[in-house]
């Protein structure tokens, strides 16, 4: 009886570890992790820290080893929720989700990383093919109806991502999403 209880406890702990990510993950090609690169600036979106609510920014390719793999800060897991997608960052505890702070008034709102919450429309995006390049999309936030963008078409590393009214063909609202390989 005691052995059965211990075995059941071990199975429950193992299942919990698999379901709840404890911390940063290392992405490999074909495992669902991607980089999100702005079509205009050719810079990658990057989560910054484990801190709740920090803004997401664009930055240069960030190698973590001599084999030039991207940093987990630039690894995004794209998950489907109904007809929408959500993006979760590998370098954050619990794989925080890309989210819009819709409580900020104005034409643009900052894009942050916050705790993943199933059903939270601030974290859901409509991915629509855009441009003539393969794997290029616009990402329209479900809550705000605005598109993920880089303000002022900036090509500067460190520029914070925002949502902005969608404008067809605007290159700073186009994103190349591809498998990390």
């Amino acid at each position: 009886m005691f052995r059965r209880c211990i075995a059941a406890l071990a199975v429950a702990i193992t299942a919990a570890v698999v379901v709840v990510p404890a911390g940063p993950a290392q992405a490999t090609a074909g495992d669902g992790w991607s980089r999100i690169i702005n079509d205009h600036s050719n810079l990658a979106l990057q989560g910054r820290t484990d801190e709740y609510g920090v803004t997401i920014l664009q930055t240069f390719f960030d190698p973590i080893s001599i084999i030039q793999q991207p940093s987990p800060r630039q690894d995004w897991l794209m998950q489907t929720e109904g007809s929408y997608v959500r993006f979760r960052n590998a370098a954050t505890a619990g794989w925080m989700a890309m989210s819009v702070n819709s409580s900020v008034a104005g034409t643009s709102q900052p894009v942050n990383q916050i705790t993943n919450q199933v059903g939270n429309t601030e974290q859901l995006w409509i991915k629509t093919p855009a441009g003539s390049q393969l794997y290029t999309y616009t990402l329209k936030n479900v809550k705000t109806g605005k598109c993920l963008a880089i303000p002022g078409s900036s090509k500067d590393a460190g520029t914070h991502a925002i949502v902005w009214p969608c404008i067809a063909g605007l290159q700073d609202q186009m994103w190349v999403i591809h498998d990390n390989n």
Side-chain angles (χ1 to χ4, degrees):
M1 177 73 170
F2 180 72
R3 285 184 180 172
R4 286 185 186 164
C5 288
I6 296 296
L9 181 61
V11 168
I13 290 170
T14 303
V17 170
V18 171
V19 173
V20 180
Q26 180 58 51
T28 57
D31 66 359
W33 293 95
S34 300
R35 290 178 75 200
I36 305 171
I37 300 169
N38 185 264
D39 192 50
H40 179 70
S41 68
N42 205 32
L43 298 175
L45 284 186
Q46 177 172 298
R48 294 172 47 208
T49 67
D50 279 341
E51 188 177 336
Y52 180 90
V54 210
T55 54
I56 293 170
L57 51 82
Q58 69 175 359
T59 188
F60 295 107
F61 176 70
D62 189 8
I64 59 170
S65 71
I66 58 172
I67 57 173
Q68 299 295 301
Q69 288 183 308
S71 163
R73 293 179 292 172
Q74 293 178 350
D75 289 336
W76 296 91
L77 180 63
M78 185 171 59
Q79 297 177 311
T80 303
E81 187 171 320
S83 59
Y84 308 121
V85 295
R86 82 173 54 247
F87 297 95
R88 297 177 67 189
N89 187 262
T92 57
W95 303 344
M96 288 189 188
M98 183 183 342
S99 183
V100 175
N101 185 349
S102 64
S103 65
V104 174
T107 305
S108 70
Q109 282 100 9
V111 177
N112 304 323
Q113 60 187 27
I114 66 169
T115 305
N116 181 53
Q117 300 166 337
V118 174
N120 182 347
T121 56
E122 290 182 335
Q123 298 176 358
L124 296 177
W125 303 86
I126 300 167
K127 184 179 84 164
T128 307
S132 59
Q133 253 186 355
L134 193 58
Y135 310 116
T136 303
Y137 305 92
T138 56
L139 300 172
K140 184 178 185 179
N141 183 260
V142 172
K143 174 79 173 190
T144 65
K146 297 176 182 175
C147 287
L148 182 64
I150 296 299
S153 299
S154 176
K155 292 187 174 188
D156 295 333
T159 302
H160 298 264
I162 61 169
V163 289
W164 187 260
C166 299
I167 301 171
L170 188 60
Q171 210 174 6
D172 70 10
Q173 292 182 352
M174 293 183 194
W175 301 89
V176 178
I177 302 173
H178 64 83
D179 185 35
N180 283 333
N181 53 24

